[in-house]
Amino acid sequence: MAESAKRKDIVLVVEDDVLVRMNTADVIRDLGFSVLEAVDADQAIALLESTPAITVLFTDIQMPGSMDGLRLAAVVRDRWPPVALLITSGQVSPHTTDMPSGAHFIQKPYHPLQIGDQLRELTGAQTGQP
């Protein structure tokens, strides 16, 4: 059994594009993580409030709603400091000073191996192959 499965790491994927969100969630599940999905920041915050075991936020930057992914990541860093942050975008490449401390960024389109590498680095988990 993968170490991540033993630890029950839960990745919250926040993406407004349903196909991208479903594909990303499938890739992350194949790596041995549990996955929750949210369509926007408001839904993500509700899930974080109701599921304290979430260990990673994987969010797109550009999405509709009350805040974008960078603002969501900042809120998560403030309210849930232990949650690791993985930020992505196909439109924006934020400077490290624009992201919360410790956040990682991957550019879309990303490859499943990139997701695995980032999650392994953020959680210390031994992930399976996508």
Side-chain angles (χ1 to χ4, degrees):
M1 177 178 280
E3 185 178 322
S4 62
K6 290 179 195 171
R7 288 193 352 214
K8 299 194 186 313
D9 283 316
I10 300 173
V11 179
L12 173 55
V13 176
V14 187
E15 168 67 60
D16 61 306
D17 183 310
V18 66
L19 295 177
V20 172
R21 186 176 66 247
M22 288 172 47
N23 182 57
T24 301
D26 286 345
V27 166
I28 294 169
R29 281 187 194 97
D30 289 346
L31 292 168
F33 294 90
S34 295
V35 178
L36 294 175
E37 300 175 38
V39 69
D40 61 21
D42 295 324
Q43 189 177 29
I45 288 172
L47 284 167
L48 283 155
E49 289 173 340
S50 66
T51 313
I54 292 170
T55 52
V56 179
L57 172 75
F58 183 20
T59 185
D60 187 23
I61 291 177
Q62 294 181 303
M63 52 185 176
S66 64
M67 64 183 86
D68 69 9
L70 285 175
R71 179 70 187 125
L72 172 62
V75 168
V76 170
R77 176 57 70 237
D78 289 342
R79 289 185 63 186
W80 297 278
V83 174
L85 303 172
L86 182 53
I87 300 170
T88 187
S89 178
Q91 310 281 326
V92 179
S93 294
H95 192 275
T96 45
T97 58
D98 296 328
M99 297 189 303
S101 174
H104 289 216
F105 176 79
I106 56 174
Q107 187 76 40
K108 286 181 182 177
Y110 39 75
H111 189 276
L113 291 175
Q114 288 177 288
I115 296 173
D117 289 345
Q118 291 293 327
L119 290 176
R120 187 170 31 260
E121 189 173 329
L122 286 166
T123 66
Q126 298 297 314
T127 60
Q129 293 298 316

